[in-house]
Amino acid sequence: MALTANDTARFEASMPRLQAIAYRLLGSASDAEDAVQDTFLRWQAADTGRIEVPEAWLTKVLTNLCLNQLTSARARRETYVGQWLPEPLLAGDPMLGPADTAEQRESVSYAVLALMERLTPNERVVYVLREAFDYPHRRIAEILDISEPACQQIFHRAKKHVVDGRTRTEIDEAAARRIVEEFLTAATSGRTEPLVRLLTADAIAIGDGGGKVPARAKAFEGARAVATFMRGMFKPGKAKRAIVGGSPEVYVSNANNAPAVVVVIDGRVIGVMCLEITAEGIAAFRSQVNPDKLERATLRWAASDHGEPLLIAF
């Protein structure tokens, strides 16, 4: 069925919200784009004149598509090489969606996206729609074809899972940036102690190389273990330059509404290290180095003003 110009305009008006929902649900920008495109195809085939509330209809279709992907993704990740981490989005990416409230910013943070991997598909849908987009339980229940009390119960269970994994509080953005700069200075000093002082006692470091780039699949745990790893990672060496194809530029930036270290060679983003920074220190380093998950970041990087690198590594 051919869409009218008005039908197309209505879908395009909903696209930013649909993309932001899909990314939070799937943790992958490319998968989110596919889900939104499939939603458009269903909109194109529908009798749009009989759809009273297009936003509700589109959200339900998108959510069901994402639920199907989440179910199949669990099976795919069982065979994924190494640790699976979400695809990071750099500052200004429209797929990050609304960031007006602390809940909205938190829902797309790299730490929370990683924690949401623990949730069931239904828990993830309820948590995202309620926490990030303030959908009433009644509407979420209609989308999932469950009762409103069941929806409320799922939300409380999902939120508990996320909160149990995040007992920290946000700190000022400028202060967080200073801590990242101090971290890079300490990491390139060749000494472990300055790094240890910047970390929480239970700090972790983990990476996703997708089997294509060397990455630590099992987390380093504890301040000293993480500090030793970071000191070694930033230590200059010909072998490292050979692996990455040169001496990378290292920038202090922002990804998923939180401080990040972005590593670039010849304009290509080869790594995004997302830091979880708390009032007690740096609690986690989650590094995405799988090139398949950095294509969008490279495009965003090329279109942004990112200033001068803080250092040239290796």
Side-chain angles (χ1 to χ4, degrees), residues 137-175:
H137 284 291
R138 175 182 54 79
R139 285 185 60 193
I140 302 172
E142 290 170 355
I143 289 170
L144 293 176
D145 292 323
I146 59 176
S147 69
E148 188 171 344
C151 182
Q152 293 171 333
Q153 189 174 44
I154 290 171
F155 174 70
H156 291 308
R157 187 166 63 242
K159 189 162 186 176
K160 184 177 186 305
H161 285 316
V162 174
V163 170
D164 284 349
R166 276 183 63 79
T167 58
R168 327 275 183 169
T169 56
E170 287 186 290
I171 67 170
D172 176 74
E173 183 177 342

Side-chain angles (χ1 to χ4, degrees), residues 63-107:
T63 300
N64 285 324
L65 288 167
C66 289
L67 279 170
N68 291 338
Q69 282 206 45
L70 284 170
T71 301
S72 61
R74 284 176 175 262
R76 291 199 309 272
R77 288 171 195 171
E78 288 179 2
T79 60
Y80 189 82
V81 179
Q83 174 70 39
W84 188 95
L85 289 175
E87 179 179 349
L89 297 183
L90 299 184
D93 192 311
M95 199 174 279
L96 288 169
D100 299 326
T101 67
E103 289 78 15
Q104 289 172 338
R105 292 190 296 274
E106 182 85 347
S107 70

Side-chain angles (χ1 to χ4, degrees), residues 3-16 40 43 54 58:
L3 293 180
T4 66
N6 184 53
D7 288 335
T8 302
R10 287 199 293 180
F11 182 84
E12 289 176 348
S14 295
M15 270 189 66
F40 176 72
W43 174 250
L58 291 168

